[in-house]
Amino acid sequence: EELYEEPVASQEVYNGKIVHLFKDTVRLPNGKLATREVMRHPGAVCIVPLTSEGEVVMVHQYRYPFSCVLLEAPAGKLDPGETPEVCARRELSEETGATAGELEYMGEYYPSVAVLDEKIHLYIARELTFAEQHTDEDEFLRVERIPLKTLVNRVLSGEIQDGKTQVAILKVWLIEQAKQKA
């Protein structure tokens, strides 16, 4: 394809717990060389746990890069060799204590296509049963149930800034609206 950029060389810059940074050289469609800085990521999941009452189980979490607490749908990073569905069930349980009787896949979300290869797999979790949350050692969350319609309004008003949460909430709203019309 004419828009393809051919990788020519790759240099590892940093290999951390989450971020794996590379400085790559690519050949552009016109034959010239250019540099691309790419962060490699193992991938993640984002789950919208929807109760039978139409509420979503959300988490409040401090996000260091922005120095504030954000309201988000439960989410987390894939472990090595873990499938997205297994990860979604694990993260849902860890962050909210919930188990889903039904897990519906809503597709992939690419959060920052210019520099990051992370793919976030989006799910709706239904038929929820609850136990205790059991977060990671370095993870501190507050859980809150919020009506789906309220969350849609918060996304549209700009109150919810997290991209994966915006996309996931709006997709669930549209899916639920289509079900009601069918």
Side-chain angles (χ1 to χ4, degrees):
E1 161 160 77
E2 62 191 50
L3 297 177
Y4 179 72
E5 297 181 359
E6 178 189 357
V8 175
S10 184
Q11 173 192 356
E12 182 180 78
V13 176
Y14 176 78
N15 189 3
K17 181 180 174 186
I18 296 174
V19 173
H20 199 176
L21 178 61
F22 291 87
K23 186 176 179 182
D24 291 359
T25 303
V26 298
R27 187 174 319 283
L28 300 173
N30 66 4
K32 294 184 177 177
L33 296 180
T35 300
R36 298 287 182 252
E37 293 174 352
V38 182
M39 284 184 286
R40 305 277 178 210
H41 188 283
V45 298
C46 176
I47 311 104
V48 177
L50 187 61
T51 69
S52 55
E53 297 83 31
E55 294 179 320
V56 178
V57 184
M58 299 287 286
V59 297
H60 296 266
Q61 188 170 11
Y62 184 81
R63 292 302 191 178
Y64 182 79
F66 299 98
S67 301
C68 66
V69 174
L70 294 179
L71 180 63
E72 302 176 39
K77 185 170 62 77
L78 288 165
D79 285 342
E82 189 176 43
T83 66
E85 183 176 334
V86 167
C87 181
R89 291 186 183 281
R90 176 179 56 76
E91 287 291 343
L92 180 63
S93 174
E94 286 177 6
E95 294 194 0
T96 70
T99 301
E102 179 192 336
L103 200 60
E104 180 183 339
Y105 189 61
M106 296 191 294
E108 292 178 356
Y109 170 68
Y110 298 173
S112 186
V113 296
V115 296
L116 179 63
D117 75 350
E118 180 181 20
K119 292 177 188 174
I120 301 177
H121 303 271
L122 305 174
Y123 290 91
I124 306 174
R126 294 189 184 88
E127 299 170 18
L128 304 175
T129 53
F130 291 91
E132 289 296 308
Q133 72 183 98
H134 46 102
T135 56
D136 292 337
E137 210 172 88
D138 60 350
E139 189 174 41
F140 300 89
L141 308 170
R142 190 175 87 245
V143 176
E144 181 182 5
R145 293 184 189 198
I146 302 172
L148 178 59
K149 184 167 184 160
T150 301
L151 291 171
V152 169
N153 290 333
R154 287 185 182 179
V155 167
L156 295 176
S157 72
E159 287 177 67
I160 295 177
Q161 301 91 345
D162 176 55
K164 70 184 180 309
T165 298
Q166 290 181 359
V167 168
I169 292 297
L170 294 177
K171 284 184 98 163
V172 169
W173 175 256
L174 290 170
I175 288 167
E176 292 300 301
Q177 293 301 301
K179 275 185 174 182
Q180 290 175 11
K181 289 177 184 168

